[in-house]
């Protein structure tokens, strides 16, 4: 590609999409289906994206049956006889559009067909029409041809014909892969006897005209599958468009690297009766490296399908529903999943897939249900499946059934039997095909079944313990502050105030090798998961043993050891060491190297290790234990991560990884991150013997009478690690350990490419660093400390809290007090002392390794842009009122408002009293209002008091995780602002439940723009590899600003492993973003902001040079207000009154607005001085001007090989394209609300006048009612207008976000149905929805609104005459709602309001629900409730009263038959209600009652 | 929420014996807090993420850690943490001016944690419970080391080297070991049995103490050089600063240290040639520091008629001002227990002349004004006063080490008279000779002396190891 020098890598690209399908269940072919499906595609155009040019789409396509009639017609004109359907193959080809390559590719293809005994019957130029296309893209259009081929020996079986075509295609693909120019430009969308794919890098609107075939009446098909793509890239890539040959995928495969590795490991064992060995050699490798995740999945499905596996079974195997924790699942199904889990791990991630092999069409959803899939079945036996409802017009009277696909469920249209088969039917058939249960009973081994151990494990005595601790690099802190708390509390310790210690590669202390690895996390393109509240979908099960032949199954495939956790205690590892059943044996190999003056011993040892492992495999061992127990004064242990990854990748390369289970027995594993890295780089199980010995020693040296039993302490420790691991997987959106294993989901900072390629193959590492000899040298230091030096103590550590002898911290006693003294005394000289100390100490960060490059003459300071002009570029970070005190929070706001900068509300809402300007002119309103996953206090009024609305996708302290405000911090005030109950703890979910993908984020941006058209929308991302690509997507989604946060900033409380190990420094993320946006021509239309440990003017200058228009300051701001880096913010005990709500402590707050202003002033002055010295007059001229920096040369052995040039890479472009110089285009002009606004003018002027309107609506009308609400809020603020002042009756299918942030006074009624995010953020409006009068289906049996309805709703009411999709009422904090059935995860994290549910509920009801009440009608499956946060109680009189009122309204507004029935028979029916009572609410209420009564 | 200790408990000081009672003898008069009270006091520690106390302690004492151990009732652990950075907590726990407490984070807006007293009680508890035991180690090295001077620096250095397996001999010019600790600090602040207790342990651990051996008098540099592999000079900075004004040669004018040493020797029943008695006298102490304060306490115990302390600098403020913002050491007005026992204090006063016939009768003083910016002072006109004075004690600090040896032995001195030794490795200009403590650093705190003694020991260790290799 163009810029190998920069940080962008095309492997970061990802996409998300709209998919859909129309099929005639009866198999009736026509062109109408195609035409309708194209309309459907056009109506989902908002789910796709365009680049900087509206005419350049990200990709769209359609898959149908082969248009036999059309071909027949064409061939008959040429007098060529076309065989019957199924007897010939149709290939769709993209060829190079230059003659030379074209001829070459044609020739090779012809040869291929010849080789496989195919005859080319006819070549057809596919007619195309490029008049709608952007001229600049015309050069990239491939030459598109269709070839009709027949086999020389007439193959009767259509499967067999396809199989042969498959082999021929693979052969051809292998031929062109070796030819680099062809590899990029030749592509085969389809080659099949029954289906064909038309696609391209087109917009959804272009495809119909581009391929005139599609509009030809002769083009007939009984089904049509469409796909529109929203990609983060904009480069020409025709082949990335979908559908693929088997699937259309809306989603993301989070575990791709692991899946590909394990597929590669399995390939060597392929055997099949459907393919000869020669053919299998052609088929291998199954996937190629230069394609998308979806394409790889497609490859695998294709192969398994051709191996005669039922396609539905294939899908169930690759995308299993959550089964391990489901007690309600049938035995046969559970056994099926369990059996299959030992054959292949899930391809995990959010997914809605429509798949077909031409004979049936199916659709499946991932276990979390993270993508929508709605279906409608019509009276004329057509089925419409799509990401949205209402995508084509259907007469309501023609609708037989409406529904949605639920998490982990499957449905299929069987053209042979002409019926739709649903989940139960499909799965029952498949799961009972074989006696999986018996197979498991016979072959599966659990640790309980293992024979007794033969050898006694070695105990480590106290003296050895000290040596071991030093050799493996333990510090006192590790023992006392990391391990000890885990044994006590069963959870990882919490820290706060970010991380100001050096990156591992910059530290002069010997580091654990895992510290060079930064955890990746989900952001925008897929959601992180809540591993606590959604534990049901998570699994820590794993298998130890080899993988069998993927292409055919037998009962012994599950002959391996099942582990419930990857952590083996000392007992179990000895059992495994001694195992001898089913001919399974294990081999222990010692991992050490000789320590002497020579280099290269480690490298030799790793080679030796691989040889030993190879020998062990040759000798038939099934389990390999890599142990580092044996060490002495001249032999050091190989870091376990290195030996593990080395062996893992060696075996993948040799195709033998699948033959053994890899167990790591190591002393250098004690904290969550160590386990995560090991598992992610291939370990199947881990025995942390030294951690256990340490716990034993802790137990023995603790004289406290309360000390728990050793067994308990060990169990607690394992629990803590298990929980921590779940958190690590869930933050990247992975649910199961099996999928996480081998996934390599880390970015490395500071290890060079050669070493990474060799040992950590395919992992991202972008700035070079240590080589294998340097790793040896670092490891030797620890060994030396243990053996060669005089007995000295263990090192103190000093990562979690500053220590004199410990790790460096940029904020230490000296710099903290200098900063405070300088701002209090307004003493710039003191500030310069501070900044020179910080910059000097700042050897902690990448930026400390840059020097300014003085290429210009310096200029006088007076010529530099004035400070006043620069202040607007400052923001403070998002710290919520709740996490910090009112005093601290409002001081920051006043200071920033005085300066013209922007303070940030944080995610806790804001007291409306602050929206009014004070008499002295001070403004306490935060200019930036944040909207985070908890949506606390996010009302239409809140949004309309913002200058900037910031969507927090992640935060530096804990990217990919949710937050929690403990109950003791929620006082009356906080509770009022957050619409919750005092004393009740509040949870923010890890994901925004309305953002599971880039197109969802685009939707939220759209919603917020509607909610406040004057505000800028910004999106906060945390630096990670690929953040630039995400930022490009965000820019395309029309965000005005993108904030790149460093991993090290962030003041929030978080598990210590997240603070230290998740995310990347902003230097990498920011410059990657700058480079990627430049590359895509998107840079100038967005502002880039950066934050994360920005402390000095030098930091500001470097940030801007790397691309930042603006900077965020948080920690330094707090320090100016008295913060002394206590790092205990989560305890509510801040002694200086900042991070606390305690009244006594708040009085101790001593911060002053002026000190903050002085800080910003000093920072600006320092920046200006730097600019003057660089000869730069304006900040704009600094932005992206990377010539002004150069990497510093240094000789320190650890850093001398760093290569920072990729960070400084810059695209050549016009200067004004380097910074923000234009605005996003307005795209609200077509909103339905403008028509409505016109009609409600009178009411807006005089609220006593009521308005009634009727109007049509369709799925492309999104966020209807939001602009209207914004106008109401702007005029009337929180004293809004009366209920029902404006009544609007809609008819049709409403688009996403109907009634979002709907204001009080609005009553919006739909006759029809509605899509996802119905009533999102409702702020007082009344929403009513019911089926059309003409419809014939039973209302309460059909889905009427989509997923994630009423998310973050704060007030109002809602009446839904039908069922809702998944995640209903998540984070509802005040809406009263009636609905007739809900999907999974309803009322999750709810904190207020009432949900009356007159029908079935899905799984995991009420998880994390801490307030509000739900009433459920009917006999319910108790397993569907998540009882960890709720109690189920009988209703009392008060409840009946409330239920009756709601039922009456429901009946009145919707005419619900069910409501009538219950009301009419309330005496009996009341017994059918169950009340869901949140435990927290109950506790607080009962406590209050006692207080009142007592 | 469980209220944390720093909100729940106020600072509690140990009680002191009543003044009239304590003036009757020279014993220590501070009681110990009950275990429970002490635990509560430790509980006030907030275990800061950035422990400023630990930062400002020259020894880097692990203060949050031992506080946490005390609050967990884990005295042994507390003791172990304490001695991991500090050889003699029983000394610092009594007489350290506690920079740690000055920078305690709780001190920003509340009374700081009483770190010093906790330290003292932890070590006393450790002695009581028998945790402090001589650890006899086999000598792993045949290298011999001489430490000259047995003050806090010498003792710490000797202790560390001894623990490292060297054969250590300590030379002390006086008849008993301890240096300034023994002879400079009054018993009511540090009873000498506390020192004896420690010396006994050090002796049992194998350190050889030779008293009445004065370098330059009865032992020579050359001898040390020839007999030892390394020599560490920690001879303190004992030559007092003088005030040369008219009447300085009158009798009844003494250096504080002579006065204090005399009383200490009397208390220890040691021979002394000096006889300074404050009984029924009007005592004037020049100098407002801790030594001055010790003179007041001693004078009152001897039965002085009146005691007046004169200080050059203006009266310090009651609260921190801009010149001493937290976490800097705060020099606010400090009233010591000796002050409480009875004395007058004057600030901004300079002695201009000592008046009398052969014996001092008056001190003529003049008020001065202090110019903060120029850091200099000016006498105020017409402010002269005659103050009756029968005994005048000069306590205005120390100048430099007392070199009994001749510096012709190629040990270089710094311009201000201290022994010149490298700041990092403590090596002097003479091969294998090191120096640490006040003799290198100039007058300072006990805690700094211990710190230098420890660091110097490390450096000596490295030096000897390197030598062994080559």
């Amino acid at each position: 590609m163009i810029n190998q020098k920069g940080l962008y890598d095309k492997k970061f690209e990802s996409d998300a999409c709209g998919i859909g399908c129309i099929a005639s269940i009866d198999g009736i072919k026509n062109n109408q289906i195609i035409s309708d499906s194209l309309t459907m595609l056009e109506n989902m155009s908002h789910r796709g994206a365009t680049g900087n040019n509206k005419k350049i789409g990200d990709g769209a396509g359609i898959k149908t049956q082969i248009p036999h009639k059309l071909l027949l017609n064409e061939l008959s004109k040429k007098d060529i006889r076309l065989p019957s359907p199924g007897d010939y193959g149709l290939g769709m080809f993209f060829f190079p559009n230059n003659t030379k390559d074209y001829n070459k590719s044609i020739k090779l293809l012809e040869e291929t067909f010849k080789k496989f005994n195919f005859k080319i019957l006819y070549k057809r130029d596919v007619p195309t029409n490029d008049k709608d296309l952007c001229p600049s893209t015309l050069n990239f259009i491939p030459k598109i041809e269709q070839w009709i081929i027949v086999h020389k020996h007439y193959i009767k079986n259509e499967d067999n014909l396809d199989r042969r075509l498959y082999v021929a295609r693979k052969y051809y693909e292998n031929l062109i892969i070796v030819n680099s120019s062809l590899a990029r430009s030749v592509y085969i969308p389809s080659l099949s006897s029954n289906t064909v794919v038309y696609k391209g890098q087109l917009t959804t609107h272009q495809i119909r005209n581009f391929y005139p075939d599609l509009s030809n009446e002769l083009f007939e098909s009984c089904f049509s599958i469409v796909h529109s793509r929203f990609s983060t890239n904009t480069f020409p890539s025709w082949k990335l468009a979908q559908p693929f040959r088997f699937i259309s995928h809306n989603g993301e495969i989070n575990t791709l690297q692991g899946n590909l590795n394990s597929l590669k490991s399995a390939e060597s064992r392929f055997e099949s009766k459907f393919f000869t060995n020669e053919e299998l050699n052609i088929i291998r490798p199954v996937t190629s490296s230069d394609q998308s995740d979806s394409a790889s999945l497609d490859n695998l499905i294709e192969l398994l399908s051709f191996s005669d596996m039922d396609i539905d079974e294939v899908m169930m195997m690759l995308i299993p529903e959550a089964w391990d924790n489901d007690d309600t699942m049938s035995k046969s199904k559970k056994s099926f999943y369990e059996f299959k889990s030992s054959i292949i791990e899930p391809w995990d991630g959010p997914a809605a897939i429509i798949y077909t092999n031409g004979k049936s069409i199916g659709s499946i959803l991932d276990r979390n249900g993270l993508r929508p899939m709605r279906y409608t079945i019509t009276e004329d036996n057509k089925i419409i499946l799509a990401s949205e409802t209402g995508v084509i017009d259907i007469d309501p009277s023609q609708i037989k059934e409406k529904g949605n696909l639920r998490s982990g469920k499957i449905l299929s249209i069987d053209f042979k039997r002409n019926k739709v088969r649903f989940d139960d039917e499909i799965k029952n058939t498949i799961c009972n095909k074989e006696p999986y249960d018996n197979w498991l009973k016979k072959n599966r081994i659990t640790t309980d079944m293992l024979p007794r151990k033969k050898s006694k494990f070695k105990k480590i005595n106290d003296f050895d313990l000290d040596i071991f601790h030093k050799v493996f690099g333990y510090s006192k802190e590790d023992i006392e502050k990391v391990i000890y708390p885990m044994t006590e509390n069963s959870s990882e310790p919490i820290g706060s105030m970010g991380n100001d210690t050096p990156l591992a590669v910059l530290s002069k202390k010997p580091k654990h090798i895992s510290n060079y690895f930064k955890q990746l996390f989900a952001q925008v393109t897929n959601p992180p998961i809540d591993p606590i509240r959604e534990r049901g979908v998570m699994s820590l099960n794993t298998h130890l043993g080899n993988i069998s032949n993927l292409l055919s199954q037998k009962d012994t495939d599950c002959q391996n050891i099942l582990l419930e956790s990857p952590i083996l205690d000392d007992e179990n590892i000895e059992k495994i060491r001694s195992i001898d059943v089913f001919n399974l044996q294990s081999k222990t190999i010692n991992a050490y190297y000789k320590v002497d003056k020579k280099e290269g011993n480690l490298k030799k040892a790793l080679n030796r290790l691989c040889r030993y492992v190879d020998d062990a495999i040759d000798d038939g061992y099934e389990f390999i234990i890599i142990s580092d127990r044996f060490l002495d004064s001249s032999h050091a242990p190989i870091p376990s991560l290195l030996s593990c990854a080395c062996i893992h990748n060696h075996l993948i390369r040799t195709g033998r990884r699948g033959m053994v289970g890899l167990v790591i027995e190591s002393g250098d594993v004690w904290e969550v991150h160590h386990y995560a890295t090991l598992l992610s780089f291939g370990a199947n199980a881990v025995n942390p013997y030294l951690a256990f010995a340490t716990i034993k020693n802790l137990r023995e040296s603790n004289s406290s009478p309360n000390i728990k039993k050793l067994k308990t302490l060990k169990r607690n420790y394992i629990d803590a690690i298990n929980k921590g691991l779940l958190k690590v997987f869930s933050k990247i959106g992975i649910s199961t350990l099996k999928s996480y294993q081998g996934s390599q989901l880390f970015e490395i900072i500071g290890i060079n490419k050669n070493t990474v390629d060799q040992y950590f193959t395919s992992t991202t590492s972008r700035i070079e660093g240590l080589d294998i000899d340097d790793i040896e040298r670092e490891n030797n230091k620890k060994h030396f400390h243990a053996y060669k030096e005089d007995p000295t103590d263990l090192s103190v550590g000093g990562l979690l809290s500053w220590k004199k002898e410990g790790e460096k911290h940029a904020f230490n006693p000296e710099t903290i007090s200098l900063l405070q003294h300088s701002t209090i005394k307004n003493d710039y000289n003191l500030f310069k002392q501070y900044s020179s100390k910080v910059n000097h100490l700042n050897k902690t960060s990448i930026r400390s390794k840059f020097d300014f490059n003085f290429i210009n003459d310096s200029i006088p300071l007076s010529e530099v842009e004035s400070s006043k002009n620069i202040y607007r570029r400052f923001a403070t970070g998002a710290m919520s009122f709740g996490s910090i005190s009112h005093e601290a929070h409002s001081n920051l706001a006043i200071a920033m408002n005085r300066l013209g900068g922007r303070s940030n509300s944080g995610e806790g809402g804001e007291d409306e009293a602050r929206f009014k300007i004070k008499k002295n002119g001070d403004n306490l309103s935060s200019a930036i209002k944040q909207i985070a996953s908890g949506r606390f206090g996010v009302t239409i009024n809140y949004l309309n008091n913002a200058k900037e609305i910031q969507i927090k996708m992640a935060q530096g302290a804990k990217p990919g995780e949710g937050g929690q405000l403990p109950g003791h911090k929620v006082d009356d005030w906080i509770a009022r602002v957050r619409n919750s109950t005092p004393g009740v703890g509040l949870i923010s979910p890890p994901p925004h439940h309305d953002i599971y993908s880039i197109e969802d984020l685009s939707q939220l941006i759209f919603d917020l723009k509607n909610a406040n058209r004057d505000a800028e929308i910004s999106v906060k991302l945390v630096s990670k590899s690929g953040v630039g690509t995400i930022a490009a997507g965000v820019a395309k989604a029309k965000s005005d600003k993108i904030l790149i946060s460093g991993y090290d900033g962030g003041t929030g409380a978080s598990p210590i492993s997240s603070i230290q190990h998740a995310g990347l420094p902003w230097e990498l993320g920011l410059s990657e973003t700058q480079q990627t946006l430049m590359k895509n021509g998107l840079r100038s239309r967005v502002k880039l902001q950066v934050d994360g440990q920005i402390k000095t003017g030098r930091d500001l200058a470097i940030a801007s040079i790397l691309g930042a228009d603006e900077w965020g300051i948080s920690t330094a701001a707090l320090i100016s207000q008295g913060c002394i880096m206590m790092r205990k913010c989560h305890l509510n005990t801040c002694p200086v009154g900042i991070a606390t709500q305690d009244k006594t402590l708040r009085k101790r707050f001593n911060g002053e607005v002026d000190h903050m202003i002085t800080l910003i002033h000093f920072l600006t002055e320092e920046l200006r001085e730097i600019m003057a010295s660089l000869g730069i007059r304006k900040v704009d001229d600094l932005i992206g001007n990377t010539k002004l920096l150069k990497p510093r040369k240094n000789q320190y052995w650890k850093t001398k090989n760093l290569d920072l040039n990729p960070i400084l890479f810059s695209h050549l472009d016009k200067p004004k394209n380097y910074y923000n110089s234009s605005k996003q285009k307005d795209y609200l002009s077509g909103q339905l609300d403008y028509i409505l606004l016109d009609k409600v003018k009178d009411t807006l002027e005089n609220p006593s006048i009521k308005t009634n309107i009727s109007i049509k609506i369709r799925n492309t009308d999104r966020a209807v009612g939001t602009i209207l609400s914004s106008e109401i809020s702007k005029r009337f603020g929180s004293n809004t207008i009366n209920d029902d002042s404006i009544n609007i009756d809609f008819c049709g299918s409403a688009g996403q976000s109907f009634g979002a942030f709907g204001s009080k006074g609005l009553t919006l009624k739909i006759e029809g149905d509605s899509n996802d995010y119905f009533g999102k953020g409702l702020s007082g409006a009344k929403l009513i929805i019911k089926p059309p009068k003409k419809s014939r289906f039973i209302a309460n049996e059909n889905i009427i609104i989509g997923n994630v309805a009423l998310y973050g709703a704060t007030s109002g009411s809602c009446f839904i005459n039908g069922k809702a999709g998944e995640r209903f009422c998540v984070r509802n904090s005040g809406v009263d709602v009636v609905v007739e059935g809900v999907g999974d995860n309803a009322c999750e994290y709810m904190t207020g309001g009432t949900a009356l549910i007159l029908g079935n509920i899905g799984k995991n009801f009420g998880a994390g629900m801490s307030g509000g009440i739900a009433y459920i009608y009917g006999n319910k499956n108790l397993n569907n409730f998540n009882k960890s946060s709720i109690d189920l109680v009988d209703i009392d009189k008060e409840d009946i009263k409330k239920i009756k009122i709601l039922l009456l309204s429901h009946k009145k507004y919707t005419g619900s038959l069910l409501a009538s029935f219950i009301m009419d028979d309330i005496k009996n029916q009341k017994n059918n209600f169950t009340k869901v009572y949140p435990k927290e609410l109950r506790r607080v209420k009962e406590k209050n009652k006692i207080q009142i009564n007592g | 929420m469980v209220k944390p200790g720093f909100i729940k408990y106020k600072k509690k000081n140990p009680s002191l014996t009543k003044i009239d009672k304590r003036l009757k003898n020279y014993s220590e008069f501070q009681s110990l807090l009950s275990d429970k009270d002490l635990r509560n006091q430790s509980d006030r520690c907030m275990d800061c993420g950035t422990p400023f106390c630990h930062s400002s302690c020259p020894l880097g004492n692990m203060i949050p850690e031992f506080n946490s151990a005390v609050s967990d009732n884990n005295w042994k652990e507390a003791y172990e943490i304490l001695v991991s950075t500090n050889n003699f907590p029983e000394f610092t726990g009594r007489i350290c001016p506690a920079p740690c407490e000055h920078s305690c984070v709780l001190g920003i807006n509340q009374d700081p944690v009483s770190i010093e007293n906790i330290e003292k009680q932890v070590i006393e508890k450790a002695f009581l419970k028998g945790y402090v035991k001589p650890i006899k180690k086999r000598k792993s090295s045949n290298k011999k080391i001489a430490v000259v001077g047995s003050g806090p620096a010498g003792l710490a250095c000797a202790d560390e080297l001894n623990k490292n397996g060297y054969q250590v001999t300590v030379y002390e010019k006086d008849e008993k070991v301890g240096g300034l600790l023994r002879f400079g600090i009054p018993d009511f602040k540090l009873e000498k049995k506390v020192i004896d207790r420690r010396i006994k342990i050090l002796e049992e651990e194998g350190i050889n103490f030779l008293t009445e051996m004065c370098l330059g008098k009865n032992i020579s540099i050359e001898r040390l050089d020839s007999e030892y592999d390394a020599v560490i000079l920690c001879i303190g900075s004992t030559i007092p600063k003088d005030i040369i004004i008219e009447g300085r040669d009158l009798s009844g004018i003494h250096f504080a240290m002579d006065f204090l040493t005399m009383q200490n020797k009397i208390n220890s029943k040691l021979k002394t040639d000096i006889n300074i008695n404050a009984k029924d006298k009007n005592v004037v102490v020049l100098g407002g520091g801790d030594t001055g304060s010790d003179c007041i306490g001693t004078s009152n115990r001897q039965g002085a008629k009146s005691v007046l302390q004169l200080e050059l600098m203006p009266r310090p403020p009651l609260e921190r001002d801009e010149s001493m913002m937290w976490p800097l050491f705060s020099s606010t007005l400090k009233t010591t227990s000796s002050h409480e026992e009875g004395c007058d204090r004057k600030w901004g006063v300079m002695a201009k002349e000592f008046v009398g016939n052969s014996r001092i009768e008056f001190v003529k003083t003049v008020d001065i004004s202090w110019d903060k910016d120029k850091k200099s002072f000016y006498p105020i006109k017409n402010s002269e006063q005659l103050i009756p004075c029968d005994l005048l004690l000069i306590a205005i600090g120390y100048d430099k080490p007392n070199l009994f040896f001749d510096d012709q032995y190629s040990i270089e001195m710094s311009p201000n008279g201290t022994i010149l030794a490298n700041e990092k490795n403590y090596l002097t200009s003479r091969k294998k000779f090191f120096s640490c403590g006040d003799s290198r650093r100039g007058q300072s705190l006990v805690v700094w002396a211990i710190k230098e003694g420890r660091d110097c020991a490390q450096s000596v260790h490295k030096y000897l190891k390197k030598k062994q290799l080559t």
Side-chain angles (χ1 to χ4, degrees), chain A residues 240-261:
Chain A
L240 287 177
Q242 293 197 35
F244 291 116
R245 298 165 197 114
F246 275 68
I247 62 169
S248 278
H249 180 215
N250 174 12
E252 183 95 3
I253 294 163
N254 302 333
T255 51
L256 187 68
Q257 190 62 47
N259 296 131
L260 294 179
N261 282 345

Side-chain angles (χ1 to χ4, degrees), chain A residues 44 73 348 1154:
Chain A
M44 287 195 289
N73 181 50
D348 201 357
D1154 287 343

Side-chain angles (χ1 to χ4, degrees), chain A residues 481 703 790 796 801-804 813 816-817 821 824-825 968 1124-1126 1128 1131-1133 1135 1145 1148, chain B residues 1 4 6-7 46-52 54-55 57 65 74 105 109-110 322 325-327 461 465:
Chain A
K481 297 275 169 88
S703 53
D790 310 292
V796 289
S801 59
W802 178 87
K803 288 282 174 297
K804 245 184 193 173
I816 292 172
S817 49
H821 295 176
I824 294 171
K825 293 182 180 171
H968 59 76
I1124 29 69
M1125 299 294 278
M1126 191 74 194
K1128 299 233 175 347
L1131 297 179
N1132 202 23
T1133 57
L1145 294 175
R1148 297 183 185 175
Chain B
M1 185 189 70
F6 74 94
I7 300 180
M46 306 186 291
D47 186 21
C48 298
T50 311
F52 284 74
H54 161 73
S55 147
C57 173
E65 284 79 359
N74 202 340
V105 171
N109 44 37
Q110 307 290 310
E322 276 211 350
M325 281 162 59
W326 182 90
H461 177 50
K465 232 172 41 175

Side-chain angles (χ1 to χ4, degrees), chain B residues 99-112:
Chain B
C100 52
E101 292 189 23
H102 287 257
S103 65
C104 171
V105 171
L106 190 53
I108 294 174
N109 44 37
Q110 307 290 310
D111 286 330

Side-chain angles (χ1 to χ4, degrees), chain B residues 37 42 104 127 298 313 317 430:
Chain B
D37 277 344
S42 297
C104 171
F127 272 109
T298 306
M313 301 294 286
R430 189 183 170 107

Side-chain angles (χ1 to χ4, degrees), chain A residues 1249-1302:
Chain A
I1249 303 170
K1250 285 196 173 190
T1251 309
N1252 294 304
I1253 308 166
S1254 294
I1255 196 162
K1256 273 200 166 165
I1257 192 167
R1258 62 167 312 132
N1259 81 306
T1260 47
D1261 295 318
R1262 298 176 294 142
V1264 168
T1266 309
I1267 292 179
L1268 205 52
S1269 300
S1270 163
E1271 290 303 312
I1272 294 172
S1273 164
K1274 278 194 176 134
R1275 283 182 178 72
F1276 307 104
S1278 50
N1279 306 317
T1280 183
I1281 55 177
N1282 288 332
D1283 282 344
D1284 304 322
S1285 299
I1286 298 173
N1287 288 287
I1288 309 176
D1289 287 349
F1290 297 94
C1291 169
S1293 288
Q1296 291 159 308
S1297 305
F1298 178 81
F1301 307 105

